[in-house]
């Protein structure tokens, strides 16, 4: 039989081991409970954060949807406005074309004569009749009207006002221009004041009357002809016609943009031509 002290010591060691085992399991259980609590708390916080974020995102998305709807309404309105503007542009273009046609038709039978000196008390009809008689056109064509652009000379210019001759029909205008051309070819001279009864050989010039827009086209076409971009420029029935080559058909130039297009095409052809 073991001594009493030895038995007491063995019993104490056993109790300590048992207590140590109990303490470790309690600690592990406590740690697990703490981890569980922390996990639940983190999950709760994350859930709350997700709900807040989703709420903010929903608000933002709703706001963006409202703005997108407003923008769609504005875009639709702008599209309607653009469509209306395009329609108005088309109408304006048609009206401008009609006005241009009316203006051209208004001067289609008119002539302009430069270089005739202004005299007080002059009779422009007598001057016109003298021109027709000298060119062999008798009787003289009927006139709708004849006048000068300005009344007498002004202090700012020494050029005599142009005489505008308004004839009844285009046939008479063509006959008069043809007779003037025949006179220049047969006599090798320009029209001059002697044909009108003046004692002077100063040249006068008889041309078709043009609208302001058509005259601008004519001047630009003549400039292009001098640059050899066109081979011929002439007027017929108050319209400008051009020829791009000797063999090409005459082209009626209805707008200044047509000349600009032709000039650009000529420049492109010249740029692409092989070097000589």
């Amino acid at each position: 039989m073991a001594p009493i002290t030895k038995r007491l010591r063995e019993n104490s060691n056993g109790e300590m081991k048992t207590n140590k085992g109990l303490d470790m399991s309690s600690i592990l259980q406590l740690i697990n409970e703490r981890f569980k609590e922390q996990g639940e708390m983190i999950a709760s916080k994350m859930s709350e954060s997700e709900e807040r974020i989703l709420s903010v995102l929903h608000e933002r998305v709703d706001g963006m949807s409202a703005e997108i709807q407003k923008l769609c309404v504005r875009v639709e309105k702008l599209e309607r406005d653009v469509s209306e503007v395009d329609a108005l542009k088309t109408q304006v273009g048609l009206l401008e074309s009609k006005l241009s046609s009316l203006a051209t038709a208004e001067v289609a039978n008119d002539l302009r004569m430069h270089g005739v000196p202004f005299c007080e008390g002059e009779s422009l009809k007598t001057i016109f009749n003298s021109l027709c008689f000298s060119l062999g056109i008798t009787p003289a064509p009927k006139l709708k009207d004849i006048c000068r652009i300005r009344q007498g000379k002004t202090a700012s210019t020494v050029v005599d006002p142009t005489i505008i001759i308004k004839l009844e029909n285009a046939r008479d205008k063509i006959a008069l221009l043809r007779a003037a051309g025949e006179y220049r070819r047969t006599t090798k001279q320009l029209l001059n004041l002697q044909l009108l009864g003046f004692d002077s050989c100063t040249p006068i010039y008889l041309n078709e009357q043009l609208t302001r827009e058509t005259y601008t086209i004519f001047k630009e076409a003549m400039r292009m002809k001098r640059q050899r971009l066109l081979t011929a420029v002439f007027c017929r029935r108050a319209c400008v016609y051009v020829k791009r080559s000797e063999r090409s058909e005459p082209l009626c130039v209805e707008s200044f943009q047509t000349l600009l297009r032709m000039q650009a095409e000529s420049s492109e052809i010249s740029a692409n031509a092989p070097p000589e």
Side-chain angles (χ1 to χ4, degrees), residues 224 230 242 244 251 258-266:
M224 292 175 64
L230 300 172
V242 300
R244 306 184 72 169
L251 173 66
T258 302
L259 287 179
L260 295 179
R261 239 182 353 259
M262 294 171 65
Q263 189 172 4
E265 290 172 359
S266 299

Side-chain angles (χ1 to χ4, degrees), residues 55-69:
S55 177
V56 172
L57 287 176
H58 283 308
E59 291 178 1
R60 296 285 180 86
V61 169
D62 291 340
M64 292 175 65
S65 298
E67 290 295 327
I68 289 172
Q69 289 178 356

Side-chain angles (χ1 to χ4, degrees), residues 6-217:
K6 185 176 180 181
R7 287 201 305 272
L8 291 173
R9 189 164 52 247
E10 289 176 354
N11 291 335
S12 298
N13 291 335
E15 290 177 0
M16 289 178 64
K17 289 181 179 178
T18 303
N19 290 336
K20 284 183 179 179
L22 293 173
D23 290 341
M24 289 298 294
S25 62
S26 298
I27 290 171
L28 289 174
Q29 184 179 359
L30 181 62
I31 290 173
N32 290 332
E33 290 176 355
R34 292 294 178 87
F35 272 126
K36 185 178 180 181
E37 291 175 0
Q38 293 294 325
E40 291 175 353
M41 186 178 65
I42 291 172
S44 176
K45 295 292 184 183
M46 290 181 64
S47 177
E48 292 176 0
S49 299
E50 288 177 355
E51 289 178 359
R52 285 198 300 270
I53 292 171
L54 287 174
S55 177
V56 172
L57 287 176
H58 283 308
E59 291 178 1
R60 296 285 180 86
V61 169
D62 291 340
M64 292 175 65
S65 298
E67 290 295 327
I68 289 172
Q69 289 178 356
K70 292 179 181 178
L71 289 174
C72 289
V73 172
R74 292 180 62 185
V75 168
E76 290 176 358
K77 184 178 182 301
L78 287 173
E79 288 177 347
R80 288 195 301 270
D81 292 343
V82 168
S83 178
E84 291 176 359
V85 169
D86 290 340
L88 288 175
K89 284 183 178 179
T90 302
Q91 292 180 7
V92 169
L94 292 174
L95 289 175
E96 288 179 345
S97 178
K98 288 182 180 179
L99 287 174
S100 178
S101 299
L102 289 173
T104 301
E106 186 178 351
V107 300
N109 300 332
D110 298 355
L111 295 170
R112 57 192 294 133
M113 187 158 53
H114 304 264
V116 181
F118 172 77
C119 301
E120 291 291 342
E122 65 183 2
S123 172
L124 295 180
K125 189 172 182 179
T126 301
I127 292 174
F128 175 71
N129 289 337
S130 298
L131 174 65
C132 293
F133 179 79
S134 300
L135 295 177
I137 300 178
T138 55
K142 291 183 179 180
L143 291 170
K144 290 174 60 178
D145 192 16
I146 184 169
C147 60
R148 287 188 183 267
I149 293 179
R150 296 190 302 272
Q151 296 299 320
K153 297 180 181 178
T154 64
S156 61
T157 180
V158 295
V159 178
D160 290 289
T162 301
I163 297 175
I164 303 300
I165 303 169
K166 295 181 175 292
L167 299 168
E168 289 284 346
N169 55 67
R171 183 175 59 254
D172 293 336
K173 183 185 76 170
I174 294 171
L176 193 55
L177 289 173
R178 186 180 292 117
E182 185 66 22
Y183 174 86
R184 289 191 295 268
R185 283 191 294 272
T186 55
T187 64
K188 307 298 182 183
Q189 295 178 358
L190 296 174
L191 301 179
N192 57 71
L193 290 175
Q194 282 187 339
L195 300 177
L196 308 181
F198 290 87
D199 187 16
S200 173
C201 293
T202 302
I204 60 173
Y205 303 94
L206 186 68
N207 299 298
E208 287 201 59
Q209 170 71 326
L210 304 174
T211 62
R212 180 176 298 179
E213 181 182 358
T214 306
Y215 184 62
T216 302
I217 293 173

